[in-house]
């Protein structure tokens, strides 16, 4: 079946602009995670959605970052007033929590803030 | 914060040789997972080992886990040029929690 998809693949924006990044998880996966990876670094957790529970936002670096998950499926990560330090690859993962501990990752969105 | 620390940061070997990468972590875990990343994009799940397991195999991969030392190793046997990638360990502290990743090991396999 289809894996996790993300769009856009690449996004270049100017400092101060808002951006929206989209994640389509694997159908039926109840858990969805956002991570970001700065150049040459490991992944940093941002936010986690599980079913209808309140999201775990403990990893969001500032109040300029927010995320929604509509209908328990598609998720959008929004970064307001982008800064150059927001430049990174943003990765989304989903998981079927009833059957596996494995998170399946999308290809990521490479965000460049000029 | 990053819990896992991979060692070495970079590894270069000849095709056919074995590659060993190590990972250390700080807190108790539910499981430890190894992922592979090509060209800085999506991660591919390689293998998961639970806290009550000591060793797992999958094809040319062998993973060990020593919870007393809070460390794990990934062994790739008979390496191929196509194994060139970055390898990350990630820990899950309890069920359904986000993974905590290390900074990865960059493996280069020279044909």
């Amino acid at each position: 079946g289809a894996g996790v998809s993300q769009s856009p693949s690449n996004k270049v924006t100017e400092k101060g602009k808002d951006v929206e990044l989209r994640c389509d998880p694997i159908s039926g996966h109840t858990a969805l995670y956002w991570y970001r990876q700065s150049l040459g670094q490991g992944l940093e957790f941002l936010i986690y959605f599980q079913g209808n529970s309140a999201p775990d936002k403990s990893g969001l670096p500032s109040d300029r970052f927010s995320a929604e998950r509509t209908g328990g499926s598609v998720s959008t990560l929004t970064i307001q007033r982008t800064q150059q330090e927001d430049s990174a690859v943003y990765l989304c993962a989903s998981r079927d929590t009833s059957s596996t501990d494995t998170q399946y990752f999308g290809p990521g969105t490479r965000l460049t803030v000029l | 914060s990053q819990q896992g620390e991979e060692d070495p940061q970079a590894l270069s070997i000849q095709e056919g040789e074995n590659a060993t990468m190590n990972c250390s972590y700080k807190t108790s875990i539910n499981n430890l997972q190894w992922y592979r990343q090509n060209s800085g994009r999506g991660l591919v799940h390689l293998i998961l080992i639970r806290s009550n397991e000591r060793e797992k195999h999958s094809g040319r991969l062998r993973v060990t886990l020593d919870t007393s030392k809070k460390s794990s190793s990934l062994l790739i046997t008979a390496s191929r040029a196509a194994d060139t990638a970055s390898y990350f360990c990630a820990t899950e502290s309890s069920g359904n929690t986000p993974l905590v990743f290390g900074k990865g090991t960059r493996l280069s396999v020279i044909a």
Side-chain angles (χ1 to χ4, degrees):
Chain A
V4 177
S5 61
Q6 292 186 245
S7 61
S9 177
N10 289 282
K11 176 71 176 179
V12 180
T13 190
E14 294 180 346
K15 178 181 173 180
K17 300 284 189 181
D18 297 351
V19 295
E20 285 190 352
L21 312 179
R22 177 186 168 108
C23 172
D24 283 87
I26 294 172
S27 178
H29 281 197
T30 56
L32 186 148
Y33 309 78
W34 283 98
Y35 298 87
R36 78 173 173 182
Q37 184 179 28
S38 301
L39 186 63
Q41 300 295 309
L43 276 70
E44 172 191 15
F45 163 70
L46 297 177
I47 188 169
Y48 160 49
F49 296 89
Q50 170 57 47
N52 295 322
S53 302
D56 176 355
K57 304 179 181 179
S58 60
L60 295 179
S62 78
D63 59 9
R64 295 186 295 104
F65 288 71
S66 63
E68 290 183 341
R69 188 178 186 193
T70 54
S73 182
V74 171
S75 178
T76 302
L77 177 69
T78 301
I79 309 173
Q80 296 178 311
R81 305 181 302 282
T82 52
Q83 303 294 312
Q84 288 183 332
E85 60 263 28
D86 298 335
S87 296
V89 176
Y90 289 81
L91 291 151
C92 172
S94 72
R95 169 177 168 181
D96 177 1
T97 55
S98 66
S99 64
T100 180
D101 292 331
T102 300
Q103 294 183 22
Y104 295 89
F105 282 81
T109 293
R110 185 179 299 278
L111 175 65
T112 303
V113 182
L114 303 176
Chain B
S1 64
Q2 291 178 316
Q3 154 142 268
E5 293 287 339
E6 285 93 340
D7 167 53
Q9 290 186 346
L11 179 62
S12 183
I13 59 174
Q14 297 289 323
E15 201 167 32
E17 294 181 337
N18 296 340
T20 299
M21 290 161 271
N22 302 297
C23 168
S24 60
Y25 56 94
K26 298 176 183 174
T27 64
S28 61
I29 62 171
N30 184 43
N31 64 68
L32 185 146
Q33 305 180 35
W34 285 90
Y35 285 83
R36 166 193 166 127
Q37 184 180 43
N38 289 80
S39 305
R41 299 308 290 262
L43 275 74
V44 175
H45 183 262
L46 295 176
I47 195 165
L48 179 152
I49 186 165
R50 302 189 187 284
S51 60
N52 62 352
E53 297 176 313
R54 293 297 167 259
E55 186 172 314
K56 282 190 83 169
H57 297 256
S58 177
R60 294 184 295 113
L61 305 180
R62 173 178 169 254
V63 170
T64 63
L65 179 65
D66 186 335
T67 53
S68 66
K69 296 181 179 178
K70 292 186 168 59
S71 67
S72 174
S73 68
L74 171 66
L75 169 68
I76 304 174
T77 60
S79 63
R80 305 166 181 168
D83 294 329
T84 296
S86 290
Y87 292 82
F88 295 88
C89 71
T91 55
E92 183 179 63
S93 58
S94 61
N96 298 339
T97 55
L99 295 172
V100 179
F101 284 81
K103 293 185 178 182
T105 293
R106 294 187 308 279
L107 174 66
S108 298
V109 181
I110 302 167

